[in-house]
Amino acid sequence: MFIPLHDANTLKHIKVQWVTLALIALNVAVWLFTTLESELAAQATTVGLGYIPAIAFGHAQLEEGLEIVPEPLTYLTYAFVHMGFWHLASNMVFLWVFGDNVEDALGHMRFLLFYLLCAAAGALCHGFLTTTSEAPLVGASGAISGVVAAYVMLHPRVRVWVLVFFRVPLPLPAFVPLLLWIGQQFFMLAIAPDGDVSWGAHVGGILAGAALILVLRRPGVPLFDRQIVTPRAVRDDSGAAAAGMDGRTVQRLPWGRGRR
């Protein structure tokens, strides 16, 4: 439906989103390892680190030598394995745009706990819906879904630039694209529960993220903030910011100057 490009939601409690950056780096590192290794090694990594419902629920066992981590850890390790570049890139873009502000609202360690719990919830929901499936579940989508749910509960009115249908850049209040995206996950789970995409993992992550943000956020951090935050002002050549009709600074997206 859309690709998030940029939000202008400045950090309030932390200086750098270290956990978000570390998670992105770890996901990229695992993907590079599986890409640079042989196809057989990549498949072994997917099987050994992926979450396989049939194994988790006792309907099957891994062949000897394929197990990399104990089965309970696959509820977490699957979230760091991706099938291809676009699978990785789409998840990491969402984490880059929205993860820093969720980390800011929770703190570093609680955000790490939040992320891992959302990943585990995604795997658990996927497993309950497909208990006999022997296909490995991989990808950070469950954890990212939790981040999206937390973000929209924290900052529904923050302006987010999104690329709609891969073509049209639009600045929208966060609740518009994110609630549409969340609704899509539930809709697709209802009509295509057995497809190649695990909509169940997405829904599990969403439900976990919405619940966990209620208890893990910093004391005093409000939900559903009312302030509309627009992109940072871009000063013209004279150094003066443009002013709106109400006297407030009009902020514009800094195209070509990078994004946060």
Side-chain angles (χ1 to χ4, degrees):
M1 294 178 63
F2 74 95
I3 299 173
L5 299 175
H6 169 84
D7 71 342
N9 199 357
T10 56
L11 301 177
K12 302 174 180 64
H13 303 284
I14 60 175
K15 292 183 178 180
V16 181
Q17 62 275 32
W18 292 117
V19 175
T20 298
L21 295 175
L23 289 170
I24 292 173
L26 181 57
N27 276 277
V28 171
V30 173
W31 176 77
L32 286 174
F33 172 78
T34 56
T35 301
L36 296 175
E37 288 293 321
S38 66
E39 182 177 352
L40 183 61
Q43 292 175 350
T45 301
T46 300
V47 172
L49 297 180
Y51 172 77
I52 304 176
I55 294 174
F57 286 86
H59 298 295
Q61 289 184 337
L62 274 183
E63 295 181 13
E64 186 176 352
L66 290 179
E67 185 177 275
I68 297 176
V69 297
E71 183 276 325
L73 285 182
T74 63
Y75 281 86
L76 304 178
T77 57
Y78 86 95
F80 297 94
V81 182
H82 290 83
M83 296 298 293
F85 173 78
W86 290 113
H87 187 205
L88 171 75
S90 60
N91 280 330
M92 294 304 101
V93 165
F94 271 75
L95 182 56
W96 169 253
V97 174
F98 302 120
D100 58 343
N101 294 108
V102 179
E103 182 176 348
D104 187 53
L106 299 178
H108 300 304
M109 296 310 298
R110 278 181 291 183
F111 176 67
L112 178 60
L113 176 63
F114 169 91
Y115 186 91
L116 295 177
L117 288 175
C118 288
L124 189 61
C125 185
H126 170 78
F128 275 132
L129 294 172
T130 59
T131 56
T132 60
S133 172
E134 296 182 6
L137 172 69
V138 295
S141 300
I144 302 302
S145 298
V147 170
V148 169
Y151 190 97
V152 77
M153 290 181 66
L154 290 167
H155 309 294
R157 301 184 70 188
V158 165
R159 297 288 180 180
V160 177
W161 279 85
V162 298
L163 192 64
V164 180
F165 301 123
F166 302 96
R167 293 179 181 273
V168 183
L170 291 175
L172 298 170
F175 74 88
V176 175
L178 296 189
L179 287 182
L180 285 173
W181 184 87
I182 289 172
Q184 181 195 24
Q185 313 313 302
F186 283 88
F187 176 75
M188 293 304 297
L189 176 61
I191 67 170
D194 299 322
D196 292 337
V197 176
S198 176
W199 306 108
H202 296 190
V203 168
I206 290 168
L207 296 176
L212 289 170
I213 195 63
L214 298 175
V215 297
L216 291 181
R217 71 188 192 277
R218 296 174 185 272
V221 170
L223 295 175
F224 307 108
D225 57 11
R226 297 183 178 182
Q227 181 182 4
I228 298 178
V229 181
T230 52
R232 292 188 182 91
V234 179
R235 294 187 176 276
D236 57 23
D237 293 337
S238 65
M245 290 186 295
D246 59 359
R248 293 180 296 180
T249 299
V250 176
Q251 298 177 324
R252 309 182 183 92
L253 178 68
W255 289 111
R257 301 193 181 188
R259 65 177 185 270
R260 177 172 74 73

